[in-house]
């Protein structure tokens, strides 16, 4: 059983999957930073400086704070602004990934449309060509 597990764990597919997950997590942080640090400030500026993340409704009378973090310490809150921010982040990320996939597909189509290089002549073809040329000189 240990031998089988070792064979499974060191197979190329499992290692490739592990590397993909690690790179995916790192890429996720990059995309998260792009959205929160680059795109969301622009969206906030276009919409008049709105910051959706602090929009909430207190679900108990104990919640009197004006910021989401403080309100969560006071009691239960319905953080709909945070949800809106996450939805906007998702839409931006989906659009960016769509554009990346679209570019990759275009590159694949261009590579597929290029005609393949002609195959090198076989030894028989080369020999027959030489014979034809010799016969043409004699005639």
């Amino acid at each position: 059983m240990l031998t089988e597990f070792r064979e499974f764990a060191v197979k190329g597919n499992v290692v490739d999957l592990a590397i993909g997950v690690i790179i995916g997590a790192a890429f996720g942080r990059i995309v998260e930073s792009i959205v929160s640090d680059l795109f969301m400030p622009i969206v906030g500026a276009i919409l008049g400086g709105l910051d959706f993340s602090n929009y909430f409704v207190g679900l108990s009378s104990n919640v009197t704070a004006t910021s989401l973090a403080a309100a969560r310490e006071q009691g239960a809150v319905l953080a709909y602004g945070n949800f809106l921010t996450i939805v906007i982040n998702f839409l931006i990320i989906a659009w960016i990934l769509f554009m990346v996939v679209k570019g990759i597909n275009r590159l694949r189509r261009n590579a597929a449309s290029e005609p393949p290089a002609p195959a090198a002549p076989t030894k028989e073809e080369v020999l027959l060509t030489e014979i034809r040329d010799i016969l043409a000189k004699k005639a």
Side-chain angles (χ1 to χ4, degrees), residues 97-113:
L97 290 177
F98 169 73
M99 296 306 288
V100 167
V101 169
K102 185 176 177 179
I104 290 171
N105 288 340
R106 183 180 311 131
L107 290 175
R108 285 183 181 167
R109 272 182 266 147
N110 289 343
S113 66

Side-chain angles (χ1 to χ4, degrees), residues 7 11 14 18 38 49 51 54 56-57 59 66 71-72 79 81 87 89 94 106 111 119 126:
E7 288 174 8
K11 278 187 180 178
V14 174
L38 300 178
D51 180 16
N54 270 325
F56 65 92
V57 173
L59 298 178
T66 57
R72 282 185 171 160
V87 168
N89 288 353
R106 183 180 311 131
V126 171

Side-chain angles (χ1 to χ4, degrees), residues 74-88:
Q74 293 177 344
V77 294
L78 182 65
Y80 68 91
N82 193 33
F83 175 75
L84 287 175
T85 301
I86 290 171
V87 168
I88 291 170

Side-chain angles (χ1 to χ4, degrees), residues 119-134:
T122 64
K123 291 180 182 181
E124 291 176 349
E125 290 173 336
V126 171
L127 183 60
L128 290 172
T129 304
E130 290 174 2
I131 292 170
R132 180 198 65 203
D133 294 342
I134 292 170

